[in-house]
Amino acid sequence: MTSREELIIEWEIQKAKWGLSDWEFRFSNQKRHLGYCRPRKKVVSVSLAFMKTNSISVMKDTLLHEIAHALHYLETGKTNHNNGWKKFALRVGCEPKRCATGEGLQMPRGNYIGVCPVCGKETHFYRRVRRSYSCSHCTNSYDSRYRLNIVVAD
Ligand SMILES: [Zn+2]
Ligand SMILES: [Zn+2]
């Protein structure tokens, strides 16, 4: 079974358990957030980009984190990480942390890579690069000698 299938099954279990039958689960390609909850649209989402670089337990915890947001919203109309949310986090069984960054989390790398013509080091960008950057390893301010050559990775 793939991690993707495993998460879908986990969603089905949780959806039934918490009465979220009119909610939808989606995969996203977000590279800066593990997951999100859009309560007005009744959507919870987990990032496929993070799934490539993190264990299934991290991803299941993310799903539960977003479900805790859904339940918290249904009860209070709020979407923050206050004590009300923490109560739901504990109830659904995820880490009651603001977000699952830090220890052991592997951030997916950006698809746009700037390569320094002098030292050869790479800088990753998450969005299309629209202006010139110079290498932060070689200079502290913009310097065209260290202008990064942008290549698109996949
Ligand atoms: Zn959150
Ligand atoms: Zn450099």
Side-chain angles (χ1 to χ4, degrees):
M1 187 164 45
T2 64
S3 334
R4 213 179 157 125
E5 289 164 341
E6 220 173 304
L7 266 191
I8 291 169
I9 290 169
E10 183 71 24
W11 163 246
E12 292 299 330
I13 294 167
Q14 298 298 334
K15 184 169 78 167
K17 188 170 172 184
W18 302 108
L20 296 171
S21 55
D22 54 343
W23 285 62
E24 191 191 328
F25 173 58
R26 288 182 196 161
F27 287 109
S28 78
N29 276 308
Q30 290 203 311
K31 295 195 172 63
R32 277 174 293 193
H33 301 281
L34 276 156
Y36 62 78
C37 174
R38 300 251 189 289
R40 282 171 207 90
K41 291 187 173 170
K42 300 193 171 187
V43 170
V44 291
S45 174
V46 163
S47 165
L48 281 178
F50 274 90
M51 207 146 89
K52 285 181 198 151
T53 48
N54 291 274
S55 69
I56 183 72
S57 63
V58 169
M59 302 319 294
K60 278 187 180 170
D61 195 74
T62 301
L63 175 61
L64 295 175
H65 177 116
E66 303 311 335
I67 287 170
H69 276 306
L71 298 173
H72 181 218
Y73 178 84
L74 290 174
E75 192 182 87
T76 66
K78 291 180 181 147
T79 54
N80 53 27
H81 296 97
N82 66 11
N83 289 333
W85 174 79
K86 286 201 179 99
K87 186 184 74 183
F88 283 107
L90 293 169
R91 209 180 284 171
V92 300
C94 72
E95 294 255 4
K97 287 186 301 192
R98 195 175 186 285
C99 52
T101 50
E103 305 296 284
L105 181 69
Q106 298 298 317
M107 296 292 289
R109 308 184 87 185
N111 284 341
Y112 299 89
I113 303 167
V115 184
C116 174
V118 179
C119 74
K121 289 204 172 99
E122 294 180 351
T123 305
H124 288 247
F125 297 90
Y126 295 102
R127 289 170 193 271
R128 190 137 67 88
V129 181
R130 294 178 188 278
R131 63 178 184 89
S132 297
Y133 289 92
S134 49
C135 177
S136 60
H137 301 282
C138 294
T139 175
N140 288 324
S141 57
Y142 183 76
D143 184 329
S144 61
R145 284 177 297 167
Y146 305 108
R147 184 183 166 176
L148 298 176
N149 296 314
I150 305 297
V151 292
V152 182
D154 202 25

